[in-house]
Amino acid sequence: MKTQPYKQDTGKLAYKVGVTLDRFIKSKQQDFPFATGELSQILRDIALASKIVSREISRAGLSDVTGSFGQTNIQGEEQQKLDVVANVRFTRALTKGGEVCAVVSEEEDLVIDLQNSKGKYVVAIDPLDGSSNIDVNVSIGTIFSIYRRKTPTGSPIQEQDVLQKGSEQVAAGYVLYGSSTMLVYSTGNGANGFTYERSLGEFFLSHPQMQMPADGGIYTINEGLTPYINPNILSYLEGCKRKGASARYIGSLVADFHRNLLKGGIYLYPATSQAPNGKIRLMYEANALAFIAEQVGGAASDGTKRILDIVPENLHQRTPIYIGSKNMVSGLEKALSV
Ligand code: FBP
């Protein structure tokens, strides 16, 4: 039978739309000879839930999902309605996806056992980060970490399955609900960013192999904390200012981290006299962003060591965090070691 090769190029008529997240995940799966597609499925589940949450956020002012939910979480923080919506959406998607056995969430006191005897993975998630910005239409995000369980599938979930060091993450990432919705993730081979094309319901590769500048002109800290923090940090910040650095603070960790990743900068949430371990949670905020930071050539420290080397002791523990451009983080560590 006579056949003809497929002619790709149709000029501007059908411009290329780019690589979808799904195709990208599939293409990268080949990097892992023993890959079984389970991790890929979890990434798809997270992408699906983030599309739904992005829709809920974008129409929040028109539907009854703004304001307080009227309950507090284990950290004594007032839960926002959208916190709860996002928590349900991600947990449901991970349950339906069938590859996860347990979820650690900022909105849940204890580990959620998904009663999934074949689930090999544990997910730690901050369903909606930047709560103080939810109702004021400022960028917020989702942060996730993926670990392989340590104990045999089907056996009861043990502490060792959940309280794993950040260096044991098999994948991590975040979703930024900003002027556009973006998903950035890594499976340990660099980090890639995808932008959500709402009209097609697809994430498309927009930021391949992201790189963070080794130095930057931005420092990001809640200046209101300065009376209560280590004076060495203040002199470090003075040094940054003298080098011409500018202050930028959105108050949403994901948004502040993402900007500094693209432009170069450092985010600092130190220990304070009131909060000796700072504010940021290790398991579902710091570890994932530290994983991404290192994958894009940046660094993340608690002031003395890599965030990824911290051995977790409890689900909701906090850690001081200094994350961003490599040379700025090492400069901070030097300032703190004086
Ligand atoms: P949650 O909103 O998930 O609790 O996260 C913590 C957070 O909102 C970060 O996103 C942000 O960087 C920081 O706290 C802001 O803290 P503060 O209001 O003390 O500056």
Side-chain angles (χ1 to χ4, degrees):
M1 164 185 234
K2 269 184 113 212
T3 66
Q4 67 178 48
Y6 168 51
K7 283 199 229 69
Q8 288 255 358
D9 185 13
T10 54
K12 288 201 174 56
L13 264 184
Y15 59 87
K16 294 198 173 85
V17 288
V19 181
T20 64
L21 174 66
D22 221 37
R23 286 207 190 119
F24 184 85
I25 290 173
K26 211 178 268 162
S27 70
K28 290 297 165 197
Q29 203 175 300
Q30 284 131 20
D31 294 357
F32 303 90
F34 306 104
T36 54
E38 291 147 344
L39 182 58
S40 304
Q41 180 57 47
I42 298 172
L43 293 167
R44 288 194 195 95
D45 300 334
I46 289 171
L48 172 63
S50 64
K51 292 175 188 176
I52 301 169
V53 169
S54 173
R55 182 191 65 191
E56 303 285 351
I57 291 169
S58 64
R59 50 198 288 280
L62 305 172
S63 59
D64 180 26
V65 288
T66 52
S68 168
F69 183 64
Q71 281 178 19
T72 58
N73 61 23
I74 189 165
Q75 298 139 88
E77 289 163 347
E78 197 183 351
Q79 285 183 314
Q80 304 299 305
K81 285 182 187 164
L82 271 171
D83 278 326
V84 176
V85 167
N87 190 45
V88 169
R89 291 291 181 192
F90 281 100
T91 310
R92 195 182 284 164
L94 293 169
T95 306
K96 290 237 166 30
E99 306 300 350
V100 174
C101 61
V103 172
V104 175
S105 166
E106 180 185 38
E107 302 309 329
E108 303 283 353
D109 301 1
L110 302 174
V111 175
I112 307 168
D113 181 344
L114 299 184
Q115 313 284 332
N116 173 7
S117 60
K118 72 173 185 68
K120 289 192 191 129
Y121 293 89
V122 173
V123 172
I125 192 160
D126 180 355
L128 214 49
D129 169 69
S131 313
S132 58
N133 283 325
I134 289 179
D135 289 353
V136 290
N137 211 354
V138 171
S139 302
I140 47 183
T142 293
I143 309 174
F144 62 90
S145 291
I146 305 175
Y147 297 88
R148 200 172 277 120
R149 68 176 295 171
K150 299 275 184 192
T151 57
T153 50
S155 65
I157 307 289
Q158 305 284 330
E159 209 169 77
Q160 58 178 303
D161 296 315
V162 176
L163 294 181
Q164 298 191 45
K165 287 195 300 186
S167 54
E168 307 215 54
Q169 291 170 101
V170 290
Y174 59 86
V175 184
L176 174 59
Y177 310 102
S179 43
S180 68
T181 293
M182 271 196 74
L183 186 152
V184 174
Y185 82 95
S186 174
T187 53
N189 292 307
N192 296 279
F194 299 79
T195 299
Y196 184 43
E197 170 50 280
R198 206 173 284 285
S199 64
L200 296 176
E202 287 280 1
F203 280 102
F204 288 95
L205 181 63
S206 54
H207 296 66
Q209 287 299 328
M210 299 171 88
Q211 280 302 312
M212 185 189 277
D215 270 300
I218 294 170
Y219 66 92
T220 300
I221 185 171
N222 177 345
E223 289 275 354
L225 301 174
T226 46
Y228 315 105
I229 64 177
N230 180 327
N232 292 0
I233 298 174
L234 301 179
S235 18
Y236 168 79
L237 293 173
E238 280 315 306
C240 292
K241 294 173 190 174
R242 273 196 295 280
K243 286 185 202 141
S246 298
R248 291 283 181 280
Y249 193 71
I250 297 168
S252 289
L253 172 56
V254 170
D256 281 314
F257 174 78
H258 185 74
R259 180 210 44 247
N260 291 355
L261 189 168
L262 297 178
K263 296 196 167 201
I266 184 170
Y267 170 101
L268 311 91
Y269 209 110
T272 65
S273 43
Q274 299 98 318
N277 289 315
K279 179 180 183 180
I280 302 304
R281 277 48 60 105
L282 176 67
M283 292 298 297
Y284 41 77
E285 292 176 322
N287 272 338
L289 298 183
F291 189 81
I292 296 290
E294 292 198 5
Q295 287 296 318
V296 297
S301 167
D302 68 354
T304 54
K305 62 182 174 301
R306 287 168 80 216
I307 292 283
L308 297 181
D309 290 337
I310 299 175
V311 178
E313 283 151 17
N314 69 68
L315 295 180
H316 301 286
Q317 75 184 71
R318 301 171 192 265
T319 177
I321 183 166
Y322 310 97
I323 185 168
S325 295
K326 194 169 55 200
N327 299 340
M328 297 183 85
V329 173
S330 57
L332 182 279
E333 285 182 324
K334 245 187 241 108
L336 277 176
S337 65
V338 172

